[in-house]
Amino acid sequence: MKKIILGFDPGLAILGFGAIECEIDDQTQKQKSVSMIDFGVIKTPPKTELGKRLCIIYEDLNQLLTHIKPDLAIVEKLFFYRMANTIAVAQAKGVLLLVLAQHQIPLIEFTPGQVKKALTGHGNADKYQVQEAVARELNLTEIPRPDDAADALATALTAWFDPDIIFQYELI
């Protein structure tokens, strides 16, 4: 059986997304294969008012979900040092959560450390090590760009690597 997991790296200026298709053996209920479907970013113009930027994210997410039709969404939990940036990203993430709920897509959140550990084996990996792992796991010839899209694919792969999640959300 094949299922689609859509990962997100939330942001106001750039919201990364990455979709993977997972195949599970019906007989053994074990993970069989994973491949990339699509990746990219939703961008909003920096000098545009906040409400308009959130509308752009809302509209583009609706189009993306209609096109990809994911079975499960994975979002990276917010982790920032600057308060102003955190608030803006949280607002964009709120729009993401709304659209996922409207499409009735189950959602799981992972911390950056959980994503790093799932892909590299340790939670203190640097960004490049995670990106290399994404390319390797998906048999890509190069690291996906921009970084936000690679981070979103990493988030989606984190769910794939955790069989409990796949069974919990009845992805088999």
Side-chain angles (χ1 to χ4, degrees):
M1 178 174 284
K2 294 183 181 183
K3 295 294 179 176
I4 297 171
I5 300 174
L6 183 56
F8 290 100
D9 181 27
L12 179 62
I14 302 173
L15 187 150
F17 68 87
I20 59 174
E21 182 176 71
C22 308
E23 186 174 0
I24 299 162
D25 187 297
D26 290 332
Q27 300 294 326
T28 63
Q29 296 187 340
K30 293 194 181 214
Q31 297 148 311
K32 193 171 176 184
S33 67
V34 62
S35 60
M36 185 187 63
I37 296 173
D38 195 7
F39 68 91
V41 295
I42 295 171
K43 291 185 178 183
T44 65
K47 295 188 179 184
T48 305
E49 71 167 293
L50 177 62
K52 177 66 175 155
R53 293 175 88 178
L54 296 175
C55 284
I56 291 168
I57 292 170
Y58 178 85
E59 292 164 4
D60 288 359
L61 282 172
N62 271 302
Q63 289 179 352
L64 178 68
L65 294 178
T66 300
H67 174 70
I68 301 280
K69 296 180 176 60
D71 298 291
L72 178 64
I74 312 298
V75 179
E76 189 172 272
K77 286 185 180 179
L78 299 181
F79 179 78
F80 289 99
Y81 297 104
R82 294 182 322 212
M83 187 56 142
N85 193 23
T86 302
I87 292 169
V89 173
Q91 290 168 326
K93 184 177 177 183
V95 172
L96 170 60
L97 298 179
L98 170 67
V99 175
L100 291 170
Q102 288 175 333
H103 285 258
Q104 299 179 339
I105 298 169
L107 168 71
I108 299 172
E109 291 186 275
F110 291 116
T111 65
Q114 288 174 301
V115 174
K116 291 174 183 181
K117 185 170 183 172
L119 270 78
T120 68
H122 55 93
N124 293 325
D126 64 34
K127 190 177 244 345
Y128 186 71
Q129 289 173 311
V130 173
Q131 292 171 347
E132 282 184 316
V134 167
R136 182 179 57 253
E137 293 298 330
L138 294 173
N139 296 313
L140 305 176
T141 57
E142 56 189 41
I143 292 170
R145 295 284 179 230
D147 289 351
D148 308 87
D151 292 347
L153 284 167
T155 306
L157 282 168
T158 300
W160 168 246
F161 290 146
D162 188 339
D164 291 338
I165 288 173
I166 294 169
F167 295 114
Q168 177 184 356
Y169 287 91
E170 298 179 16
L171 295 184
I172 58 172

